[in-house]
Amino acid sequence: MLRLTQAPNLAIATLWVDALQFEGITASVQRQYLSGIAGDLPPDQCLPEVWIHHPTQETRARTLLHHLQNLPQHRWLCVCGELVEGGFEQCWHCAAWMPA
């Protein structure tokens, strides 16, 4: 087995593992239950980790993980002239909806 990365929380680790598995990469979450002892151990030692079972899949797994961690942000220009970034479908300046 090979450790790919630590995740900021269990939900993200699980999503990453599910995405890897969907692509045919055998992966699992490790340290998923250590958050309860943070304080007794350093917090960074209690983060969940994403592991792959076959080191031969490392290149594909790291490429996929990089794409998951660096999703492009959607940007659109509202009719009022405001540049709206992120996953927002409504302008925070004038409340207009994102054009179709």
Side-chain angles (χ1 to χ4, degrees), residues 16-17 23-24 32 35 48 63 77 80 92 96 100:
W16 288 346
V17 165
E23 293 296 322
Q32 63 263 48
S35 63
T63 300
L77 186 62
C80 73
W92 51 73

Side-chain angles (χ1 to χ4, degrees), residues 12-53:
I12 296 293
T14 303
L15 288 172
W16 288 346
V17 165
D18 286 346
L20 290 168
Q21 289 176 342
F22 182 79
E23 293 296 322
I25 298 169
T26 308
S28 62
V29 177
Q30 302 295 318
R31 295 186 173 191
Q32 63 263 48
Y33 303 115
L34 284 181
S35 63
I37 62 170
D40 292 332
L41 292 176
D44 66 328
Q45 299 297 311
C46 299
L47 293 173
E49 297 178 342
V50 176
W51 287 68
I52 59 171
H53 295 215

Side-chain angles (χ1 to χ4, degrees), residues 54-65:
H54 304 290
T56 57
Q57 297 177 322
E58 179 182 6
T59 303
R60 275 187 59 229
R62 289 196 186 279
T63 300
L64 179 60
L65 190 60

Side-chain angles (χ1 to χ4, degrees), residues 73-89:
Q73 291 293 316
H74 184 75
R75 298 168 61 163
W76 55 280
L77 186 62
C78 183
V79 294
C80 73
E82 187 74 24
L83 181 63
V84 182
E85 297 181 291
F88 298 100
E89 295 182 357

